[in-house]
Amino acid sequence: MKLLADQANFYHLYYTDASRGDLVVKTQLQDGTPVSGVVLMAVNQKTNESYTAQTSDDKGWTKLTLPTGRYQLKVIFHPDSSEPQWAPTVTVSANQSLTTTVVFGKTKGEMMTTVTDQTTGDPLVGVQLHLQSIKDATYQKTGTTDNHGQVNWTSLPTGDYRVSVTKMIPHYSVVGANDQVITVTKDKTAQVNFSAISQTKMLKITSLSESGIALPHVSYRVTTMANEQYRTVQTDDNGRGNSWAITRGALSDSRSCSTGWLSIG
């Protein structure tokens, strides 16, 4: 109550509403990181009346002005990437401002990434992978495929991620794009699959004369045009050389026999 005088020295009584107070709430993760976009409801435990707060701002703050009484806070909306862990019961006093906290935890999921040989289906061991959150570029993980050709990332906050092959094993290349965007959802394992193709093939050499007769004991030096690999092969009594794996690409040869045909298959 306030007693004020006007210019004519008449006194007036003014009554103020002393039956309300402020409730200031911070919505945050367990580590103190603000959680924005949360909508809270305060339910009066005596009258069962409910009051809805404005959406928490980018710093996690929201405010309600409430009649005095005891209230249970409830979360009626929150981002998919978090879930409430604890919401307090509070007492609002007249002309007082009370600050409290609603704590959230990050929802978690898993991701299994598998890399296989496209032709044989065999797992590829030693492929290096990189994972990065689309929403938070600072959240990153790396991994190397195990004996099953897999990397399993656990306890990932839900959301979208980009998974990339950063280093393939020698003589293999990824089929298609070397990165994928995948969504991790709560309590589930997202599956990511990459396939790769071998850049080597079996080289068979047969030495023939112009008339098609096998030329035995001809020595060949076969070299990739990029000079990455070479090997000397000598044909047997049937004009055939041993098979061996070589990187795909153009080949050149030199031979000890000046006539005849070289058949590579």
Side-chain angles (χ1 to χ4, degrees), residues 233-253:
V233 180
Q234 183 168 326
T235 59
D236 59 18
D237 292 340
N238 299 312
R240 297 173 182 172
N242 293 330
S243 300
W244 58 290
I246 191 169
T247 303
R248 296 174 185 266
L251 304 174
S252 67
D253 76 280

Side-chain angles (χ1 to χ4, degrees), residues 140-219:
Q140 303 181 42
K141 289 181 178 291
T142 58
T144 303
T145 55
D146 59 17
N147 290 336
H148 302 288
Q150 295 177 328
V151 174
N152 187 25
W153 284 299
T154 61
S155 298
L156 297 175
T158 56
D160 294 333
Y161 292 85
R162 185 179 303 279
V163 184
S164 306
V165 177
T166 54
K167 187 175 182 181
M168 180 53 69
I169 60 176
H171 309 310
Y172 273 86
S173 62
V174 179
V175 177
N178 71 340
D179 65 344
Q180 298 182 39
V181 174
I182 196 76
T183 300
V184 173
T185 55
K186 180 183 177 183
D187 297 332
K188 294 184 179 180
T189 301
Q191 300 288 338
V192 185
N193 296 294
F194 289 97
S195 59
I197 190 168
S198 173
Q199 295 300 306
T200 62
K201 67 177 296 184
M202 296 304 297
L203 178 67
K204 299 178 181 179
I205 293 179
T206 302
S207 184
L208 302 171
S209 68
E210 293 183 359
S211 60
I213 300 174
L215 298 176
H217 312 301
V218 179
S219 180

